[in-house]
Amino acid sequence: MPTSAMTALATITLGSAQASVTFSGISSAYRDLVVICHYKAASSGSYPIVNFNGDLASNYTWVEAVGTGSAASTSKNAGSGEPYIPFGNGYLPSDNVNPQPVIINVLDYSAIDKLKTALIRANASATGVSMVTGRWANTAAITSLRINGNGVNIGSGSTFTLYGVSA
Amino acid sequence: MALLPLGIWAASGAGGGGATDFQLISTQVLTGSSASITFSSIPSTFRHLQVRMTLKDSNAGATMGKAYYTYNGDTGANYAWHYLEGNGSGMGSGWSNTYANSIYSVATTLFTASAHSAHIMEIADYSQTTKYKTTRILGGAAPSIYGAQSVSLTSGLWMNTAAITSLTIGAQSGQNFVSGCRFSLYGWN
């Protein structure tokens, strides 16, 4: 009998604003991870960030391309690395009406012979659309994934679902 | 319904199921170098296809490479594509109509040995015989080589209404995909 190649592992729904959400104890049984977020910031003024396995050192490199409706621009990590992979085109909206979808793909997250590369798509109705690729310079399997509001709390009602993709 | 990667909604299966809406068809992981890989005998039983890839080509002289893909063995001038790319310093875009469609932001052997680029490719309505085939690819790499980062969106058109039964993905001319590259083909309903 055919089986699904995408398995829902966990869902987090915020009943109140908080600084971050973390998926921990992630099984290494899959090939890729997907996090589907419906994201609302508790207030404006920052952009969310993602980290793996509790690593908050400057072990991340990234590049972003953004379209705001009036301009297209691109930015990248400073120097040799930063302590996170950002997403959200400046910031994601803080209104209660329009939380925005964010999809984070991490391919080969459990492959211990590869550094980890994430692909992120984010939309923000107030600011535009963005695509980000980021790399975590570690070959360890990802066992935890943290999304942090980066100085601005993640808003109540935001949802995050983690999937494992088999290969 | 479930929101699948890159924002495509998948209807639940009949009878309240949905457990088989997204299925692995085939995975290839290179154990040596290869100029290309092919998925053949792709069944027509799904609605859309998705390919998830981690790539690196053998070009040691470039900070970022490209790859190509063709359908059903067609190497005629039946393809057209556009791309949008950001590299942290400037935005790039372009288009072409030619003998294959392109994949941007491919890692090269200039990268650290364990570093690859990541790509998600989606083909909507691949088995419909009334439509030309359109493809969307999100890809990127952010190596430690400062200034070599790249993230891109690519769209591709194959001007043929035949159902896709095979997909060939190849490294750019003169190069090979290196050992460790992974190609996973999924069908979803």
Side-chain angles (χ1 to χ4, degrees), chain B residues 127-177:
Chain B
S127 59
Q128 298 299 297
T129 57
T130 59
K131 300 178 181 178
Y132 284 174
K133 306 305 180 286
T134 53
T135 304
R136 179 177 71 171
I137 304 173
L138 171 65
S144 59
I145 306 168
Y146 188 62
Q149 295 95 327
S150 171
V151 62
S152 61
L153 277 173
T154 312
S155 69
L157 174 69
W158 181 42
M159 291 172 275
N160 195 311
T161 57
I164 291 173
T165 58
S166 72
L167 164 64
T168 295
I169 302 169
Q172 60 186 323
S173 177
Q175 308 301 327
N176 291 313
F177 290 126

Side-chain angles (χ1 to χ4, degrees), chain A residues 9-96:
Chain A
L9 301 179
T11 294
I12 299 172
T13 300
L14 295 189
S16 60
Q18 61 190 56
S20 65
V21 296
T22 300
F23 292 103
S24 57
I26 298 174
S27 165
S28 295
Y30 305 96
R31 191 79 192 201
D32 302 335
L33 293 176
V34 181
V35 184
I36 297 178
C37 319
H38 213 197
Y39 193 109
K40 183 181 79 72
S43 58
S44 62
S46 187
Y47 51 86
I49 58 177
V50 63
N51 303 91
F52 305 119
N53 290 15
D55 185 1
L56 303 182
S58 295
N59 294 318
Y60 303 86
T61 49
W62 54 267
V63 59
E64 180 180 52
V66 171
T68 64
S70 58
S73 64
T74 180
S75 58
K76 61 192 173 191
N77 59 277
S80 60
E82 295 194 38
Y84 52 74
I85 299 169
F87 62 92
N89 182 29
Y91 60 88
L92 288 170
S94 60
D95 62 272
N96 289 316

Side-chain angles (χ1 to χ4, degrees), chain B residues 69-101:
Chain B
Y69 61 96
T70 56
Y71 295 122
N72 292 12
D74 182 4
T75 56
N78 299 312
Y79 300 87
W81 52 269
H82 289 74
Y83 81 94
L84 176 68
E85 180 190 26
N87 64 10
S89 297
M91 295 294 296
S93 69
W95 72 279
S96 181
N97 49 356
T98 183
Y99 301 93
N101 281 334

